[in-house]
Amino acid sequence: MKNGKQKVEKGVLEKFLSHRMTAAEFSTLESKVFGTPNRQKFVFKNPTKAKLEEIEKLAKVMDIEPKELVQRTKAGFEKLTAKELLQIGFEFS
């Protein structure tokens, strides 16, 4: 961990998605979730910077809970606030 940032393996989000989606479903992510090809490429390279709405849409498309997506891929890890994490099911003690 450098400068308080957690290192995430490159491509971890893409690998996770490829095991759970068909190629046809994967090709529709740009329009359904990210909006632009540049944003999709950015989030795939930096999953920790995904926005809450992207995480929620992606989880819905994949038919999983947003919390599971965050736990397995660290998606949104740098961007999500404590309030947003509570909103998707995380608990703090």
Side-chain angles (χ1 to χ4, degrees):
M1 194 179 332
K2 288 185 178 180
N3 300 330
K5 292 186 178 180
Q6 185 171 355
K7 184 176 170 126
V8 176
E9 178 185 337
K10 295 276 186 187
V12 70
L13 182 58
E14 283 180 281
K15 288 177 189 175
F16 182 75
L17 296 175
S18 68
H19 292 302
R20 295 185 169 254
M21 303 178 89
T22 65
E25 291 171 329
F26 192 83
S27 67
T28 65
L29 288 178
E30 179 187 315
S31 62
K32 287 184 176 179
V33 178
F34 301 106
T36 67
N38 287 340
R39 181 65 190 170
Q40 181 174 328
K41 189 183 295 184
F42 176 78
V43 172
F44 282 171
K45 285 185 178 181
N46 308 288
T48 60
K49 298 190 182 199
K51 299 175 187 173
L52 177 63
E53 64 250 16
E54 292 168 336
I55 292 167
E56 289 176 331
K57 288 178 184 177
L58 197 52
K60 185 176 181 180
V61 167
M62 296 175 60
D63 196 30
I64 63 171
E65 293 295 319
K67 179 181 176 181
E68 182 183 352
L69 181 63
V70 172
Q71 287 175 321
R72 292 190 178 210
T73 65
K74 304 294 186 238
F77 202 76
E78 289 181 22
K79 197 121 173 114
L80 297 177
T81 64
K83 182 179 178 182
E84 290 171 330
L85 288 169
L86 286 170
Q87 187 178 335
I88 60 173
F90 282 88
E91 297 177 5
F92 297 101
S93 53

